[in-house]
Amino acid sequence: MGRLLEARAVRVGLVLGLPVSGLFTWLAIRNADLATVWRALGEARWPLVLTAVAALSILYAGQALRWREIVRAPGVPSRRFAEMVVSAVAVNNVLPGRVGDVLRARWLQLAGPLPAGRALASVFIDRAFDVLALVVFLAVSVPFMASEEWVLRVSISAGLLLVVLALAVLGARVYTRTRARERRQRTLVRRIARDALEGLADPLGRTRSVALAALSVASWSIWALAAWLVARAVGVELSPLEAIFVTAVVNLGVAIPSSPGFIGTYQWLGVSSLALLGVGTDRALAFAILMHATWYVPTLVVGGGLLLRRGVRAVKVRSLVHVPSSAPPG
């Protein structure tokens, strides 16, 4: 089942993502003087950029902590959740269709151990808290920004996405309460689907939900801080409210199907959001490229290293299991 989901996600990502990414890359750079952009990147204040990289590492630690609190698997250490989060981002950096999120559920299933459906449900809930925090950021900042049609569309789309997520959880609760679980599910797919619905239906509780929402807002506030630092590094001054606005627009916007690592869409969203704040295309594009690099490069290196270590360990285990004994019989 996991392999089927991964293959389907890759196909959808390639068919839809690559053309969309190419279009948005062209939109991002069409009015930019690339020589000026390159010069702005070369003159960037790197201590600020490195501070932003350090801040983003705290963001991923916060997301790992939130996921751990959603799952509550006592046998899985906090360090393991952090490894799975960063490894999933590394996979999404090189494969389309958010395959990393599917793999994250698979790794949790093996580490838990946890039913595959419940592992998928935990990732869904985890992502839902991200959407909730970013919608809050957008709601807080949009009234103070210049009115633009595409901002209105992003706001409406974000609100609709939040409604869809809420309806999915509500529908899962209604279904599991009105339809008793079969003693023996007839197919693997049905068993995984039922486990996923039950995972979504499990109430988190008011206190726990508020704590998870607060942790999500705090985590994305760190992203806003990193954006403020990177903007200053390339000569762009953002107010805290403007940094929150850019955080919401860019991270909600990358839900658009695109190439691996959101290349193209990320740059266009960065340029477009900063344009509303009166920032020129050249500086805005330099910001978008550098902001993208602050999380893309570290997660690719660290997550890739973790995946490589995991693969080496798996090969060693298989070799130990399949090596025949050389001792003589008897």
Side-chain angles (χ1 to χ4, degrees):
M1 180 65 179
R3 291 180 179 178
L4 179 62
L5 288 173
E6 293 161 28
R8 184 171 297 175
V10 170
R11 286 197 297 270
V12 171
L14 289 174
V15 172
L16 297 179
L18 292 179
V20 170
S21 181
L23 171 63
F24 282 117
T25 299
W26 176 76
L27 290 173
I29 68 174
R30 61 174 177 167
N31 295 322
D33 182 348
L34 297 183
T36 303
V37 173
W38 183 255
R39 186 165 54 253
L41 291 173
E43 296 172 352
R45 297 157 65 184
W46 291 101
L48 292 176
V49 176
L50 294 177
T51 305
V53 172
L56 290 174
S57 67
I58 300 175
L59 163 68
Y60 292 119
Q63 290 181 332
L65 175 61
R66 181 187 62 198
W67 189 29
R68 187 197 69 180
E69 290 303 310
I70 292 171
V71 176
R72 287 191 170 179
V76 185
S78 300
R79 173 181 55 80
R80 186 75 186 98
F81 278 99
E83 290 176 356
M84 289 187 285
V85 167
V86 176
S87 297
V89 176
V91 172
N92 286 337
N93 286 347
V94 296
L95 291 177
R98 291 187 179 270
V99 177
D101 290 331
V102 179
L103 284 174
R104 182 151 65 107
R106 173 61 176 165
W107 296 330
L108 176 61
Q109 178 195 357
L110 296 175
L114 205 68
R118 285 189 172 269
L120 282 170
S122 75
V123 174
F124 180 92
I125 295 171
D126 184 56
R127 285 300 189 188
F129 275 105
D130 281 332
V131 173
L132 174 62
L134 292 170
V135 169
V136 169
F137 277 19
L138 198 63
V140 167
S141 59
V142 158
F144 301 94
M145 300 298 116
S147 177
E148 287 286 341
E149 184 179 354
W150 72 268
V151 174
L152 179 62
R153 290 178 180 176
V154 170
S155 303
I156 293 174
S157 300
L160 289 175
L161 179 58
L162 197 59
V163 170
V164 169
L165 295 176
L167 289 176
V169 174
L170 179 62
R173 290 183 180 178
V174 171
Y175 183 87
T176 54
R177 289 175 182 175
T178 57
R179 295 286 297 271
R181 185 184 182 107
E182 297 179 13
R183 291 187 177 180
R184 193 173 182 181
Q185 297 291 342
R186 285 173 285 183
T187 65
L188 175 63
V189 174
R190 292 186 65 177
R191 184 165 65 249
I192 292 175
R194 180 69 191 200
D195 287 338
L197 289 173
E198 290 178 356
L200 291 176
D202 284 344
L204 293 172
R206 183 177 300 176
T207 302
R208 191 172 163 207
S209 297
V210 170
L212 292 170
L215 182 57
S216 302
V217 170
S219 297
W220 285 108
S221 296
I222 292 173
W223 198 100
L225 172 62
W228 179 81
L229 289 167
V230 172
R232 292 202 69 188
V234 295
V236 176
E237 296 294 335
L238 296 180
S239 69
L241 194 62
E242 290 170 340
I244 288 173
F245 171 73
V246 172
T247 298
V249 170
V250 171
N251 289 286
L252 285 171
V254 294
I256 300 170
S258 66
S259 65
F262 317 121
I263 295 171
T265 52
Y266 202 95
Q267 283 69 38
W268 176 76
L269 288 164
V271 170
S272 299
S273 59
L274 287 181
L276 294 177
L277 308 178
V279 179
T281 301
D282 300 335
R283 291 284 174 181
L285 182 56
F287 161 82
I289 292 172
L290 198 53
M291 188 66 209
H292 194 193
T294 56
W295 62 263
Y296 185 93
V297 175
T299 56
L300 186 62
V301 173
V302 176
L306 292 171
L307 289 169
L308 180 61
R309 186 180 69 176
R310 185 185 184 91
V312 170
R313 285 179 177 177
V315 170
K316 287 182 178 179
V317 170
R318 290 195 188 100
S319 64
L320 290 174
V321 170
H322 292 93
V323 169
S325 174
S326 59

